[in-house]
C-alpha cells in the first residue's frame, strides 16, 4: 500500500495517471487510495513531483503498519 502526505500534495494527478491498478484517484480536494487494489509497483512514488508518496510493500491494511508510520501519516 501507499501513504500520501496530504498536506504537501499539490493535487497534480500524476500518481493516478500512472497507476496501473486504479488504486489512486483524485476525489474532491484529496487523493483517495485503495490499498486492496495496490500491487506495490512503485510507479506513483516515482511519478510524484512533490515526493510525498511512500510505499509499504506487502501491507494491505493500515492496522498492519508500524505505529510510528501511522502516527506520521495520521492513519
Ligand atoms: S504502488 Fe503502483 S499500484 Fe500501488 S498505488 Fe502506486 S502506482 Fe498504483
Ligand atoms: S503525484 Fe504526488 S503531488 Fe501529485 S496528486 Fe499524486 S500525491 Fe499529490
Amino acid at each position: 500500500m501507499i501513504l500520501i502526505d496530504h498536506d504537501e500534495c499539490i493535487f497534480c494527478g500524476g500518481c493516478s495517471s500512472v497507476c496501473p491498478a486504479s488504486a489512486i484517484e483524485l476525489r474532491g480536494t484529496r487523493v483517495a487510495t485503495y490499498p486492496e487494489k495496490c500491487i506495490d509497483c512503485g510507479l506513483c512514488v516515482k511519478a510524484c513531483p512533490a515526493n510525498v508518496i511512500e510505499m509499504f510493500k506487502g501491507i494491505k491494511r493500515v492496522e498492519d503498519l508500524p505505529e510510528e508510520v501511522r502516527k506520521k501519516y495520521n492513519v
Side-chain angles (χ1 to χ4, degrees):
M1 70 180 293
I2 56 151
L3 290 175
I4 295 173
D5 180 348
H6 293 282
D7 292 338
E8 300 298 326
C9 169
I10 58 173
F11 212 59
C12 67
C15 52
S16 57
S17 67
V18 297
C19 180
S22 301
I24 317 176
E25 70 179 7
L26 303 191
R27 212 169 54 190
T29 56
R30 217 170 141 93
V31 179
T33 62
Y34 305 98
E36 69 283 0
K37 292 184 180 174
C38 177
I39 57 170
D40 291 342
C41 69
L43 288 175
C44 58
V45 177
K46 287 187 199 134
C48 178
N51 202 23
V52 297
I53 307 177
E54 197 172 354
M55 189 175 66
F56 300 90
K57 234 181 163 73
I59 296 182
K60 292 283 179 199
R61 309 179 320 152
V62 290
E63 291 82 1
D64 296 328
L65 289 163
E67 196 56 39
E68 65 270 20
V69 171
R70 294 189 65 178
K71 273 198 190 122
K72 177 181 172 188
Y73 287 95
N74 198 23
V75 292

